[in-house]
């Protein structure tokens, strides 16, 4: 039993990263991770010994996120949370990498949650298409379609951002 708990604890950084990619608010992401861990510990017997808990935990988290989004949609609340004060840029970044990273994160947050989840699972978390499709509960073809459309949407958003930045530089 302690081995299972230790394996679950080892996945917390990945769970936090995935939760923050789904929810922009740090506190909401931490709440999602906590809910996921609580559910996992209650249902510890459902995890088969010898397997990595990663897919199992990500599946739990994704289901909790979908349930949360459904509740938000039923209530008519705003699903996207604003940036926290500490996350906003008060002054222009001095390094190009910081600007590019921020633009990528903003563009990723701007695409639909389904496409964002698919992209994060495969491109960032390193799951195979089959594993990600299983975790998200969709057919592999649907996952590949979401990834393709998400990538195209990201390209479009990033191209628009680069054009706007170039226009600002020329105007100054």
């Amino acid at each position: 039993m302690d081995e299972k708990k230790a394996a679950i604890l080892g996945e917390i950084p990945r769970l936090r990263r995935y939760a923050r990619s789904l929810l922009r608010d740090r506190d909401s992401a931490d709440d999602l991770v906590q809910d996921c861990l609580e559910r996992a510990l209650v249902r510890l017997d459902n995890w088969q010994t010898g397997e990595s808990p990663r897919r199992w935990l990500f599946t739990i988290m994704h289901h909790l996120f979908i349930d949360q989004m459904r509740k938000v949609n039923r209530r008519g609340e705003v699903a996207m949370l604003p940036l926290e004060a500490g996350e906003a840029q008060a002054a222009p970044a001095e390094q190009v990498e910081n600007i590019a990273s921020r633009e990528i994160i903003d563009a990723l947050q701007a695409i639909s949650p389904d496409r964002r989840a698919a992209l994060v699972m495969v491109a960032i978390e390193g799951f195979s298409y089959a594993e990600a499709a299983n975790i998200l509960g969709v057919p592999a073809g649907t996952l590949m379609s979401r990834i393709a459309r998400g990538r195209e949407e990201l390209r479009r958003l990033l191209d628009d951002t680069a054009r706007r930045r170039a226009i600002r530089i020329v105007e100054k």
Side-chain angles (χ1 to χ4, degrees):
M1 191 70 87
D2 290 333
E3 293 172 12
K4 286 185 175 183
K5 289 179 181 176
I8 289 172
L9 288 176
E11 296 297 326
I12 290 176
R14 289 183 184 100
L15 291 171
R16 290 183 81 201
R17 181 174 58 215
Y18 181 57
R20 286 187 180 169
S21 73
L22 294 174
L23 301 164
R24 194 166 212 164
D25 180 55
R26 183 173 291 165
D27 292 333
S28 296
D30 287 343
D31 289 344
L32 182 61
V33 171
Q34 181 176 345
D35 292 345
C36 175
L37 293 172
E38 285 177 9
R39 186 168 290 181
L41 291 174
V42 167
R43 298 178 180 171
L44 199 56
D45 294 336
N46 292 350
W47 175 36
Q48 298 168 356
T49 307
E51 289 186 15
S52 168
R54 193 169 181 211
R55 281 194 314 201
W56 182 61
L57 290 168
F58 273 75
T59 301
I60 291 171
M61 180 176 284
H62 181 72
H63 287 263
L64 288 169
F65 172 71
I66 295 299
D67 290 346
Q68 187 179 57
M69 295 308 294
R70 286 181 183 150
K71 286 179 189 174
V72 166
N73 289 337
R74 273 197 308 265
R75 292 184 196 146
E77 298 172 6
V78 177
M80 251 331 152
L81 298 171
L83 281 174
E84 294 176 1
E87 290 180 323
Q89 285 184 328
E94 294 179 9
Q95 298 177 343
V96 175
E97 295 84 20
N98 287 344
I99 295 171
S101 295
R102 184 84 237 153
E103 288 172 354
I104 291 169
I105 291 169
D106 289 343
L108 191 58
Q109 290 296 325
I111 65 175
S112 74
D114 290 340
R115 292 175 183 171
R116 182 172 57 242
L119 277 170
V120 168
M121 284 285 182
V122 174
I124 297 172
E125 295 302 331
F127 286 107
S128 69
Y129 283 174
E131 290 172 326
N134 187 20
I135 290 169
L136 298 176
V138 297
T142 301
L143 177 86
M144 288 187 272
S145 175
R146 287 179 182 175
I147 290 171
R149 288 188 177 115
R151 285 178 177 157
E152 184 58 37
E153 197 171 349
L154 277 176
R155 274 189 213 101
R156 183 182 49 76
L157 289 168
L158 292 171
D159 284 347
D160 288 347
T161 302
R163 278 190 213 111
R164 282 196 306 267
R165 192 175 57 229
I167 290 170
R168 273 187 255 145
I169 291 170
V170 170
E171 287 177 346
K172 290 183 179 182

